[in-house]
Amino acid sequence: VAACWEAGIDMSDQVDLFVDIALKEDIMAALEALTVIEEMNAIPSDPDRMLLKLKTTSESSTSERKFIMEQITEHLKRLKKKE
């Protein structure tokens, strides 16, 4: 995950993968996934589905993971406004 943001590659077409990493992997991997998502400039193909997934999963998460999911949610909403 770190290699993606360190290389500066836009991984917008892989947003599903990075959201899943943020939701399921350890907190360090989740932070790295957040960084990759924050570097994305293109709107994901289905941002509403991603936002719903984040919202439903957030309810049962730790405070640290909730923070990460909130940051991802805000970034996806900003991208969606650019539509």
Side-chain angles (χ1 to χ4, degrees):
V1 177
C4 294
W5 63 265
E6 288 173 354
I9 301 168
D10 185 5
M11 301 294 292
S12 297
D13 61 333
Q14 298 294 320
V15 69
D16 288 341
L17 170 67
F18 291 101
V19 168
D20 284 342
I21 290 169
L23 295 175
K24 298 175 184 174
E25 299 300 328
D26 65 63
I27 203 70
M28 290 308 295
L31 284 169
E32 290 176 351
L34 168 61
T35 303
V36 172
I37 292 168
E38 288 178 333
E39 295 297 317
M40 293 178 181
N41 296 313
I43 301 163
S45 60
D46 192 356
D48 292 327
R49 185 175 58 81
M50 288 290 99
L51 292 168
L52 180 61
K53 185 177 190 175
L54 288 160
K55 181 180 178 184
T56 57
T57 308
S58 177
E59 296 166 0
S60 62
S61 298
T62 64
S63 60
E64 294 89 0
R65 196 163 310 265
K66 279 184 185 178
F67 175 78
I68 291 169
M69 288 189 281
E70 288 168 4
Q71 297 302 306
I72 293 170
T73 298
E74 290 305 312
H75 185 68
L76 292 177
K77 286 180 178 178
R78 281 191 297 275
L79 289 177
K80 190 176 169 185
K81 283 183 183 180
K82 291 181 180 182
E83 273 186 309

